[in-house]
Amino acid sequence: TLAGSPKTCSNPQTSCKNTTAVSDLCCFNAPGGQLVQTQFWDTSPSTGPSNSWTIHGLWPDHCDGTYDSNCDASRAYTNITAILQSYGKTDLLSYMNTYWVDINGDDESFWEHEWAKHGTCISTLKPSCYTGYTPQEEIPDFFQKTVDLFKTLDSYAALANAGIVPSSSATYTSAQIKAALKSAYGFDVTIQCASGALDEIWYSYDVQGSVQTGLFVKAAPVGQSSSCSSTGIKYLPKSGTPVSISTVKTTMTTSTTSASSSSTGGSGIFSGSGYLNAFTSGSQTGCLISAGTWYTSGTCATYTATASGSGFTLKSSKGSCGISSSTFTCGSGVTATVFTASGGYLSYGGSTTFYAAAVPSGSTQQTIYTTSQSVSVTFQWQAL
């Protein structure tokens, strides 16, 4: 379908920051001027990849945190998937099927709800704001913009880089979580909890111009409140498979692009005691045992990570761990190697990819190499 075009806005004002009344609500979001990209962390049941948050929606809150909802029943469309397909948005749909998912498995109904409740209240997406309007063309604009924002907001990495990772036993404080997210985003964000566990993050923007073509300006939230207690917050693990780090999402801001480009160095979340879980072909397959070998049918070894120089060293009950003759090994006579972390994964020589001759099975252990073998494997730290 060939669409019309959104209205061209010259020198638009920024929503929630205007000093005079603005009458053209096609170039100025009002009254819903605080656009909030909301994300879920669902664990019961789990939704989406095990190392990524998922999309809740894009909400046009008023500048004081109140909001309107269900603003146009005539545009409460019940065929979002078909509309996106009619506009050739197959890549967008594929992404949404992974990252914008319903806890009950009914993604289409979830998308319809988010559009009808919130999308119809965005003033700049009204049909009258398009030249040569084609029916329902605001649908691809709304869903594409929400996904584009979400792709810049990797909450999992922001938390992991501060040592906040999913755990069935660890707890965190609200201040820790909010500080980690603010460090990545640049502004305060709002967090929500259910049954004492972190399950939502809200990122706020003001918009200079329209949602379709305007500039989203990061902002501190106004009028939002958190449902999390100050301490003892759980961040529970998801079941399911992780997405590979290279495809997760881009980093949050220019201020963190520099931070994240250096996140291949440093200790990241590797500190204290933990397991080194093995991932191959996107799913967890066993872990490392005390000699540094890969095993799939026994108890994982407890490793100790200790900060050293620009990274950290590893030790098991057998002794220090190091790379010798391109082989990962742990023992009493081993010289400790300084490793680094990247996105929660073990990294050596700038790469998170290690190798083995095969995937271990039964009682067979496999040696881990840093040079190419037939199987690629990565190792994710699980703090204990």
Side-chain angles (χ1 to χ4, degrees):
T1 305
L2 290 172
S5 54
K7 182 170 182 175
T8 302
C9 303
S10 56
N11 300 318
Q13 292 202 55
T14 302
S15 61
C16 297
K17 297 285 188 285
N18 56 310
T19 51
T20 57
V22 177
S23 58
D24 183 0
L25 299 188
C26 290
C27 290
F28 182 80
N29 288 285
Q34 179 178 215
L35 275 290
V36 189
Q37 202 286 294
T38 52
Q39 300 185 7
F40 271 138
W41 181 262
D42 293 327
T43 61
S44 183
S46 295
T47 62
S50 62
N51 59 345
S52 174
W53 286 62
T54 57
I55 301 171
H56 187 168
L58 181 64
W59 303 347
D61 281 7
H62 295 184
C63 303
D64 63 1
T66 61
Y67 62 93
D68 301 320
S69 59
N70 301 102
C71 295
D72 187 350
S74 72
R75 292 190 298 133
Y77 307 125
T78 55
N79 57 336
I80 302 297
T81 302
I83 295 169
L84 292 175
Q85 287 171 334
S86 76
Y87 281 93
K89 291 285 190 176
T90 50
D91 288 351
L92 174 61
L93 263 176
S94 173
Y95 191 91
M96 288 165 60
N97 281 321
T98 300
Y99 292 101
W100 198 335
V101 284
D102 177 56
I103 196 164
N104 298 312
D106 189 348
D107 298 348
E108 169 68 31
S109 292
F110 181 29
W111 302 339
E112 291 168 9
H113 165 83
E114 286 301 310
W115 165 254
K117 182 175 179 179
H118 302 288
T120 60
C121 298
I122 297 174
S123 69
T124 59
L125 286 176
K126 288 185 175 176
S128 56
C129 293
Y130 290 83
T131 304
Y133 174 73
T134 308
Q136 305 164 338
E137 72 173 277
E138 68 273 33
I139 288 294
D141 284 345
F142 172 77
F143 286 94
Q144 187 70 62
K145 178 57 67 176
T146 307
V147 162
D148 289 347
L149 289 171
F150 172 76
K151 284 180 175 179
T152 69
L153 300 169
D154 189 345
S155 301
Y156 187 89
L159 293 168
N161 286 337
I164 299 171
V165 290
S167 167
S168 49
S169 56
T171 61
Y172 304 97
T173 66
S174 174
Q176 280 177 307
I177 295 166
K178 291 198 284 192
L181 295 167
K182 183 176 183 177
S183 174
Y185 188 59
F187 289 87
D188 285 324
V189 304
T190 304
I191 60 173
Q192 306 296 348
C193 294
S195 303
L198 181 67
D199 73 339
E200 283 205 63
I201 300 173
W202 297 356
Y203 296 94
S204 297
Y205 296 87
D206 300 325
V207 184
Q208 184 179 357
S210 68
V211 161
Q212 300 94 308
T213 64
L215 177 67
F216 277 69
V217 182
K218 293 173 182 178
V222 179
Q224 298 173 8
S225 60
S226 170
S227 58
C228 297
S229 58
S230 58
T231 60
I233 298 172
K234 296 184 290 246
Y235 179 23
L236 296 171
K238 287 192 201 183
S239 58
T241 54
V243 281
S244 70
I245 292 300
S246 61
T247 60
V248 175
K249 286 177 290 292
T250 52
T251 51
M252 287 207 187
T253 58
T254 46
S255 66
T256 56
T257 307
S258 53
S260 66
S261 60
S262 65
S263 73
T264 49
S267 59
I269 61 170
F270 285 74
S271 64
S273 300
Y275 295 148
L276 283 164
N277 291 322
F279 285 86
T280 182
S281 302
S283 59
Q284 186 184 340
T285 313
C287 53
L288 292 183
I289 55 175
S290 57
T293 48
W294 182 14
Y295 197 48
T296 54
S297 46
T299 306
C300 302
T302 299
Y303 283 82
T304 303
T306 307
S308 174
S310 59
F312 55 91
T313 57
L314 290 171
K315 189 179 236 181
S316 75
S317 61
K318 292 272 197 291
S320 295
C321 303
I323 305 294
S324 176
S325 304
S326 304
T327 302
F328 181 91
T329 182
C330 305
S332 57
V334 176
T335 302
T337 294
V338 176
F339 296 94
T340 55
S342 180
Y345 286 81
L346 183 67
S347 180
Y348 174 74
S351 172
T352 58
T353 305
F354 295 84
Y355 301 94
V359 176
S361 62
S363 59
T364 306
Q365 303 171 26
Q366 289 291 342
T367 302
I368 296 303
Y369 300 94
T370 55
T371 50
S372 188
Q373 303 279 328
S374 53
V375 173
S376 300
V377 58
T378 56
F379 296 101
Q380 188 179 47
W381 183 254
Q382 179 186 341
L384 298 175

